[in-house]
């Protein structure tokens, strides 16, 4: 399968290298160059994850210091594997070259921010989107408009500059911001979805939708409690 992918590889119009030319012949040197180019390409996404993760850690520490309150529970990240990148390119029928992959596959770098409360999601979103070197390319608010299965999360696709040794690259990063309850739900749904290879039985689908509803109720109750404490409801005098 890997071989077929390689043969489909097209000339990158923005590059002087043409390892495959018209794609009719693949030599061992061509493959080596191709592999090096791809590794270098993927490294840019790893650096972009490092940049975004640092930004979020700075926000966490600074917010904690200034407001004596931490809106971020945890931060995670993942780099799409080369196999899944190529799989997505084929599935979506994108052109098989690095420029086209950069333009079309926007979730190679993924960062997930898990917040304590619903209101923290907007706070973190605004703090990231407002930064000078961040450009928001796309925004999907699955909290105001949750998915039919119950999925809730705030999704941003941002573009961020990465300063390489010999050039600057603008790299897209998918940032998912959600509460602990939304994250808990999504990880279970993900497992179920994979177990049933996308064909989740109707009774499980109903249960999942109900669980999403309960998660929302919990989030709303926690938010209300948090506000009460914030407003400084005094403990009863002894
Ligand atoms: P892809 O092209 O497949 O990446 O999806 P998309 O472009 O429609 O983007 P979308 O915002 O819907 O989903 C992007 C990511 O959000 C996924 O890769 C998952 O990590 C997460 N996600 C979206 N929908 C669901 C869902 O129903 N359940 C779970 N568990 N995760 C989801
Ligand atoms: Mg995706």
């Amino acid at each position: 399968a890997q071989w077929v992918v390689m043969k489909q590889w097209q000339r990158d119009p923005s590059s002087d290298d043409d390892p495959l030319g018209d794609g009719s012949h693949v030599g061992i040197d061509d493959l080596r160059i191709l592999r090096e180019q791809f590794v270098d390409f993927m490294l840019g996404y790893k650096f972009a994850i490092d940049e975004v993760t640092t930004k979020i850690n700075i926000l966490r520490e600074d917010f904690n210091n200034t407001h004596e309150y931490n809106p971020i529970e945890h931060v995670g990240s993942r780099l799409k594997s080369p196999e899944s990148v190529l799989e997505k390119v084929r599935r979506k029928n994108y052109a098989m070259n690095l420029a086209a992959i950069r333009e079309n596959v926007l979730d190679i770098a993924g960062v997930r921010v898990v917040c304590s409360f619903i209101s923290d999601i907007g706070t973190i979103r605004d703090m990231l989107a407002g930064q000078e070197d961040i450009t928001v390319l796309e925004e999907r608010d699955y909290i105001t408009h949750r998915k039919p299965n119950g999925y809730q999360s705030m999704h941003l696709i941002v573009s961020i500059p990465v300063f390489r040794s010999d050039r600057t690259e603008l790299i897209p990063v998918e940032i998912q911001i959600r509460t602990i309850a939304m994250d808990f739900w999504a990880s279970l749904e993900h497992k179920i979805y994979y177990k049933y290879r996308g064909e989740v039985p109707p009774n499980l689908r109903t249960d999942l939708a109900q669980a999403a509803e309960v998660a929302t109720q919990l989030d709303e109750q926690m938010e209300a409690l948090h506000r009460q404490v914030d407003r400084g409801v005094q403990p009863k005098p002894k």
Side-chain angles (χ1 to χ4, degrees), residues 107-122:
D107 61 351
I108 295 176
V111 176
R112 185 174 292 155
V113 186
V114 179
C115 298
S116 314
F117 302 103
I118 304 173
S119 56
D120 297 331
I121 296 174

Side-chain angles (χ1 to χ4, degrees), residues 167-187:
R167 66 195 184 278
T168 301
E169 290 177 327
L170 285 175
I171 308 278
V173 178
E174 179 178 285
I175 305 177
Q176 302 181 347
I177 316 173
R178 48 170 84 143
T179 63
I180 304 171
M182 294 173 192
D183 191 51
F184 190 24
W185 184 93
S187 63

Side-chain angles (χ1 to χ4, degrees), residues 37 39 64 68-69 74 78 125 146 153 168 197-198 215:
Q37 284 183 350
V39 167
N64 208 1
E68 289 176 3
Y69 161 68
H74 54 263
R78 73 104 183 79
R125 181 242 165 255
R146 74 161 79 158
S153 195
T168 301
R197 294 193 179 83

Side-chain angles (χ1 to χ4, degrees), residues 59-212:
L59 287 180
R60 191 214 309 246
E61 199 174 326
D62 193 34
F63 204 95
N64 208 1
N65 179 57
T66 312
H67 304 275
E68 289 176 3
Y69 161 68
N70 170 25
I72 299 169
E73 282 291 329
H74 54 263
V75 186
S77 67
R78 73 104 183 79
L79 186 64
K80 225 181 177 69
S81 69
E83 291 75 26
S84 359
V85 172
L86 297 179
E87 185 275 323
K88 188 162 185 175
V89 170
R90 252 186 301 179
R91 178 165 45 89
K92 303 245 177 185
N93 252 316
Y94 297 140
M96 194 57 89
N97 66 68
L98 295 181
I101 295 177
R102 165 113 342 132
E103 196 178 322
N104 294 306
V105 186
L106 303 177
D107 61 351
I108 295 176
V111 176
R112 185 174 292 155
V113 186
V114 179
C115 298
S116 314
F117 302 103
I118 304 173
S119 56
D120 297 331
I121 296 174
T123 306
I124 299 300
R125 181 242 165 255
D126 293 346
M127 284 180 174
L128 283 172
Q131 298 191 6
E132 263 170 45
D133 54 350
I134 285 189
T135 308
V136 177
L137 300 177
E138 225 182 279
E139 183 160 4
R140 291 190 199 178
D141 181 355
Y142 294 125
I143 296 169
T144 313
H145 308 282
R146 74 161 79 158
K147 285 198 171 182
N149 62 358
Y151 179 75
Q152 284 182 281
S153 195
M154 169 75 84
H155 289 190
L156 296 177
I157 308 271
V158 303
S159 158
I160 181 172
V162 167
F163 302 100
R164 306 286 299 256
S165 53
D166 54 353
R167 66 195 184 278
T168 301
E169 290 177 327
L170 285 175
I171 308 278
V173 178
E174 179 178 285
I175 305 177
Q176 302 181 347
I177 316 173
R178 48 170 84 143
T179 63
I180 304 171
M182 294 173 192
D183 191 51
F184 190 24
W185 184 93
S187 63
L188 181 61
E189 191 271 347
H190 184 76
K191 275 180 213 148
I192 294 173
Y193 188 86
Y194 269 84
K195 186 174 162 87
Y196 291 97
R197 294 193 179 83
E199 310 280 329
V200 181
N203 62 319
L204 273 181
R205 257 187 267 171
T206 311
D207 288 353
L208 272 171
Q210 267 173 24

